[in-house]
């Protein structure tokens, strides 16, 4: 459990959690100069910002039960944000925001928020993905790798989803488009 600001004055070089149990983030920010690797389930207990080079989630990411908390992720330079587990599946985040640098890799079947999902960097979809929110916006390119554009599900609860960019193939793979 992180109950206070981590790396506020002097940033940690990196942060890695083990694969057992749960990491509870109950602080406004965690900052590292290097990577942050969350190998176990993560509970967001207050709205928080994660700052680091590459930030990855190997397991699930949820708000604490009965809450909806915001998660902002800022990767430095050409850093990568990676989601390998369900996000907001048990308890939705209020919002999810990534910064404009680097890439977000979505390798999970579902990201659920109560409100906005804003991907300010390039998004690479590695699997069939449902983005479930009141508003989802990608302000840069979405690059599906090894999947078709029809594999992206848009699930809304009476609102609209805006993807305001073209779907383009990632340089390392081909993409087929099916209407």
């Amino acid at each position: 459990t992180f109950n206070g600001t981590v790396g506020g004055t002097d940033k940690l070089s990196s942060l890695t959690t083990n694969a057992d149990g749960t990491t509870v983030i109950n602080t406004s920010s965690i900052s590292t100069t290097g990577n942050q690797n969350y190998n176990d389930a993560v509970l967001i207990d207050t709205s928080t910002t994660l700052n680091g080079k590459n930030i990855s989630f190997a397991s699930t990411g949820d708000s604490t039960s009965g809450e909806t908390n915001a998660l902002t992720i800022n990767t430095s330079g050409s850093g990568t944000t990676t989601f390998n587990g369900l996000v907001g599946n048990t308890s939705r985040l209020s919002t999810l925001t990534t910064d404009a640098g680097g890439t977000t890799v979505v390798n999970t079947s579902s990201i659920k928020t109560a409100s906005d999902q804003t991907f300010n960097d390039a998004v690479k979809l590695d699997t069939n993905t449902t983005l479930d929110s009141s508003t989802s916006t990608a302000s840069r390119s979405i690059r599906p790798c090894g999947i078709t554009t029809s594999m992206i599900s848009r699930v809304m609860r009476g609102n609209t989803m805006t993807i305001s960019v073209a779907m383009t193939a990632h340089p390392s793979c081909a993409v087929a488009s099916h209407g």
Side-chain angles (χ1 to χ4, degrees):
T1 300
F2 296 102
N3 283 319
T5 300
V6 177
T9 302
D10 294 314
K11 293 180 182 179
L12 300 176
S13 60
S14 64
L15 175 66
T16 300
T17 65
N18 64 10
D20 298 333
T22 302
T23 295
V24 177
I25 299 176
N26 186 29
T27 183
S28 61
S29 69
I30 296 176
S31 298
T32 59
T33 57
N35 299 339
Q36 293 181 31
N37 298 300
Y38 298 93
N39 293 311
D40 52 0
V42 174
L43 287 178
I44 306 298
D45 198 24
T46 191
S47 294
T48 193
T49 300
L50 304 178
N51 303 295
K53 174 64 177 155
N54 298 301
I55 299 174
S56 66
F57 298 88
S59 186
T60 58
D62 290 293
S63 283
T64 299
S65 182
E67 299 178 12
T68 53
N69 298 303
L71 177 60
T72 300
I73 302 172
N74 298 317
T75 56
S76 58
S78 60
T80 302
T81 301
T82 305
F83 296 104
N84 287 314
L86 297 171
V87 177
N89 193 55
T90 302
S91 292
R92 291 175 186 261
L93 300 175
S94 64
T95 62
L96 175 63
T97 305
T98 64
D99 68 334
T103 304
T104 294
V105 176
V106 178
N107 189 31
T108 183
S109 61
S110 177
I111 296 178
K112 296 179 181 179
T113 57
S115 189
D116 299 345
Q117 293 178 23
T118 304
F119 301 97
N120 289 309
D121 50 3
V123 178
K124 180 182 174 210
L125 301 172
D126 278 349
T127 191
N128 297 357
T129 299
T130 299
L131 302 176
D132 183 347
S133 73
S134 61
T135 307
S136 291
T137 301
S139 61
R140 291 192 53 203
S141 62
I142 296 178
R143 298 176 177 210
C145 185
I147 63 172
T148 65
T149 56
S150 65
M151 291 179 177
I152 302 169
S153 300
R154 295 177 201 149
V155 177
M156 305 311 300
R157 294 178 313 280
N159 297 295
T160 59
M161 176 184 291
T162 302
I163 298 179
S164 58
V165 296
M167 299 285 287
T168 58
H170 189 273
S172 65
C173 60
V175 61
S177 179
H178 301 287

